[in-house]
Each structure stands twice: as structure tokens, then as C-alpha cells.
Amino acid sequence: MARADRFVGRVGLVTGAASGLGRDVALGLAQEGARLLLLDRDGAALAEVARQCPGAEARVADVSDAAAMQDAAARLDRIGPPTLLVTAAGILGPTVPLPEVAEADWDRLFAVNVKGTWLALKHVVPRMEAAGGGAVVTFASGAGLAGNAVFPAYSASKGAVVLMTRSLATGHAAKGIRANAVCPGPIDTPMLRDSFAQAGDGAAAREEYTRARNPMGRFGTPAEVAAAVLFLLSDEASYLNGVALPVDGGRLA
Ligand SMILES: NC(=O)c1ccc[n+]([C@@H]2O[C@H](COP(=O)([O-])OP(=O)(O)OC[C@H]3O[C@@H](n4cnc5c(N)ncnc54)[C@H](O)[C@@H]3O)[C@@H](O)[C@H]2O)c1
């Protein structure tokens, strides 16, 4: 089958589809034939992405809202049995040392990054199993594989995503589910720009530090991450399960 046809006839959910990495994944999947439910809290940006994805539907929702995620999964049923799930919705939270993280910020970070990922799995994976199986890609981070001094609370939340994904991989493979996580390094999206902006007067220095300590000396692009995600979702990756794949230019090598 030609590369441009890898997802013809497949149905899936992409969260965080309005911006950055989720957006490029959605565009790539749609270009290769998938019929998608695109979910994000940013309705205007999501509508614009959905317009560029043939056959896609947009759903404005907060991934941490259990009822909204249940409704979104029920909507998927009317598109067709889902066999693809990508959980890209995420937030960075405050870039401060652990003792300085406000309780409300901690709770929100874990509500979106951890609970939001789990709610998508909770409602979509049983439907995939009923359909005979499917592929899941979660969004962790390089900061979910190694401790991070700049955004430690985010790092903790992404570490949870890695082991949630590996637990799914080990517990559901017999029912046809493959689950892998991508662990991007610094990718040029609004979230990366926010991480620099939070340094205030030190923004330029933080950007330069981040670029300089990458072996490739540059940030990644959303397209480079989307290519890895589409590979992990595709049948070409049929024996890849439980992987936490760095897409980071060698930052963690
Ligand atoms: N950009 C990077 O350098 C980088 C590195 C490692 C991991 N990641 C991860 O990749 C994923 C995508 O990040 P990005 O860089 O594209 O960020 P981004 O901010 O450009 O996009 C994130 C999207 O998620 C949506 N979102 C956030 N909270 C939501 C919620 N509660 N409900 C629904 N939608 C919500 C936003 O509206 C936005 O459209 C995130 O999980 C992020 O943690 C990014």
C-alpha cells in the first residue's frame, strides 16, 4: 500500500488537535485517509484545522472533563468503530521549582496531562477492543523520561503518561491494542515559546540554552514529530508496543 494510504477506512480521535503537534498529526492522518474526531478546548483554532482535514468533525471539549470525554467517545460511535487514538492535548504549567508550584497549578497540570490522557483511554480503548484492536499514541515528553529542573511538575506529569502508556501496552496487547508514547524534545510550537516567555527577561537566554544543549543545535518541527506518530500508528509498526520514543534530535542520547 502506498504511504499516502496508510489510514484509509480508519476512524480515530485526536485530542489537542487545534495547535502544534496534535494539529500536524491530525492533518497527516486525514491526508492519509483517516476519518477523525478532532478535540480541543480552542474552538476557533480547531474549526480551522477541521476545515483542512477531509471528513473530520470538530469537538470543543476539555480533556479533563469526564462527561465531555464520554460524550466525545459516543460521537465517535456514529463515525465508525475507532482504531486510532492520539492524546496530544497537554499544558506546560509553571516553570518553577517543585516547592514553588501552586497547588491549583499542580492540580490543573495533572488534570489535563494525566487525567485527560486517561479519560481518552478509558472511553476509546474498550471501543477499539470491540472493533478488534487499534493503535494508541500518547504524548509524553523527553521530560517524562529524565528529570527536568526548569519544569519539574510538568516532568512528573509526563512521567505518569509514560507508565500509563506502558501499562496499557502490557495489559491490552492480547485484545489487539498497541500503545506507544512519543517523547518529544524541544519542538517549535506555542508551548515551547511559552516555556521561554515564562523566563521573562531571561527568555532569550533560556531559548539559547535549550538550543545549544541539543546535539543537532536546533528545535524540532511539528512535522518531524507527526511523522513518528503516524509511523507508530501504522501497520508498519505492528510489533512496536510499549515504546516511549524520544523524538528529540539526540537530546537524551
Ligand atoms: N512542543 C514541545 O516542545 C513539546 C515537547 C514535549 C512534549 N510536548 C507535548 O506535546 C503535546 C502537544 O504540545 P504542543 O507543543 O503542540 O502544544 P500547543 O500548546 O501548541 O498545543 C496543545 C493543544 O492542546 C490543547 N489543550 C490544552 N489543554 C487542553 C484541555 N484541557 N482540553 C482540550 N485541549 C487542550 C490546546 O488548546 C492546544 O491546542 C503536549 O502534550 C505537550 O506536553 C510538546
Side-chain angles (χ1 to χ4, degrees):
M1 185 178 285
R3 188 174 185 283
D5 287 343
R6 285 181 295 181
F7 303 103
V8 170
R10 307 278 297 271
V11 170
L13 173 67
V14 180
T15 74
S19 174
L21 308 181
R23 174 183 179 278
D24 266 46
V25 169
L27 292 171
L29 284 173
Q31 276 163 13
E32 293 205 38
R35 283 179 298 146
L36 300 173
L37 184 63
L38 306 178
L39 189 146
D40 203 286
R41 65 182 175 184
D42 181 344
L46 186 66
E48 181 55 28
V49 176
R51 205 182 51 75
Q52 298 172 55
C53 292
E57 287 186 31
R59 187 87 175 186
V60 181
D62 184 324
V63 291
S64 69
D65 179 336
M69 293 304 284
Q70 187 169 4
D71 285 353
R75 180 68 198 120
L76 262 183
D77 290 338
R78 295 202 288 279
I79 300 173
T83 63
L84 301 168
L85 172 63
V86 178
T87 58
I91 56 174
L92 178 65
T95 62
V96 297
L98 282 171
E100 294 170 28
V101 178
E103 184 178 354
D105 288 340
W106 179 274
D107 288 345
R108 183 66 185 150
L109 200 50
F110 276 71
V112 176
N113 293 359
V114 184
K115 183 180 175 188
T117 300
W118 167 71
L119 284 171
L121 304 182
K122 174 179 173 59
H123 293 296
V124 177
V125 167
R127 288 172 162 85
M128 281 186 174
E129 290 177 348
V136 176
V137 173
T138 61
F139 268 76
S141 169
L145 296 173
N148 190 293
V150 177
F151 30 77
Y154 173 83
S155 178
S157 75
K158 292 299 187 176
V161 171
V162 169
L163 285 186
M164 191 189 325
T165 308
R166 289 188 155 155
S167 299
L168 182 69
T170 53
H172 293 254
K175 292 185 174 172
I177 304 296
R178 284 189 308 106
N180 296 291
V182 282
C183 300
I187 313 296
D188 209 343
T189 70
M191 181 181 288
L192 185 70
R193 294 289 151 191
D194 174 40
S195 78
F196 301 146
Q198 285 198 41
D201 289 346
R206 183 175 283 182
E207 176 172 349
E208 189 41 40
Y209 170 75
T210 305
R211 188 180 281 112
R213 71 178 175 169
N214 192 286
M216 289 195 174
R218 67 171 177 87
F219 304 137
T221 66
E224 288 174 316
V225 177
V229 172
L230 265 61
F231 167 68
L232 289 171
L233 290 171
S234 77
D235 292 342
E236 295 168 273
S238 54
Y239 201 51
L240 285 177
N241 189 35
V243 165
L245 180 69
V247 185
D248 67 354
R251 168 72 183 82
L252 294 181

